[in-house]
Amino acid sequence: MKIAISGKGGSGKTTISATLTRILARRGIPVLAIDGDPNPNLSLALGLSDSANTAAMPRSVVERREDESGKTSMVLTDSIENIIERYGLKAADGVTVLTGCRVEHSGAG
Ligand SMILES: Nc1ncnc2c1ncn2[C@@H]1O[C@H](COP(=O)(O)OP(=O)(O)O)[C@@H](O)[C@H]1O
Ligand SMILES: [Mg+2]
């Protein structure tokens, strides 16, 4: 099962995500929590330290590819198992958390 949580800033997305992942993990369900916010804090909400929170995956884990028709899509450059092994952190109640790519510096869009 995949659950995506989105919405406006300050509406409780991170709080709900952290609570939901912990409830599911406590029931024995393996949970992978992925923070896709460019200003991430899900791992903090899952009890990890600030330095763990800033240890985000590099942008190179995804790549933009174009098919014959010119349609572009984002694809993983490694298997999800390898990405979890390399960048996943164990958090509260055994939830595994992956922090998505951060905005590293300002620049033109
Ligand atoms: N159900 C709630 N009742 C009261 N305050 C809440 C509730 N859910 C979240 N908050 C508080 O609201 C603020 C924003 O929540 P957060 O989960 O960080 O939102 P988002 O991730 O959508 O920006 C935080 O200070 C959080 O503690
Ligand atoms: Mg948030």
Side-chain angles (χ1 to χ4, degrees):
M1 175 173 44
K2 293 177 186 170
I3 302 172
I5 296 182
S6 70
K8 61 182 273 196
S11 58
K13 301 182 297 293
T14 299
T15 307
I16 292 278
S17 302
T19 305
L20 187 59
T21 56
R22 290 186 65 170
I23 289 170
L24 294 172
R26 281 185 196 185
R27 292 184 183 179
I29 298 167
V31 180
L32 173 64
I34 304 174
D35 193 350
D37 193 322
N39 187 19
N41 64 349
L42 180 59
S43 65
L44 284 174
L46 285 168
L48 295 181
S49 67
D50 195 41
S51 59
N53 185 57
T54 54
M57 292 181 283
R59 288 185 176 277
S60 57
V61 297
V62 290
E63 192 174 86
R64 189 186 299 273
R65 296 223 181 114
E66 190 177 323
D67 69 15
E68 318 78 56
S69 67
K71 189 175 162 223
T72 60
S73 58
M74 301 302 283
V75 294
L76 294 176
T77 56
D78 201 350
S79 68
I80 188 64
E81 291 79 13
N82 285 348
I83 291 171
I84 292 167
E85 164 123 13
R86 192 147 177 213
Y87 304 108
L89 297 172
K90 277 285 173 211
D93 294 315
V95 172
T96 302
V97 60
L98 275 176
T99 298
C101 306
R102 301 176 65 87
V103 174
E104 281 148 14
H105 52 77
S106 59

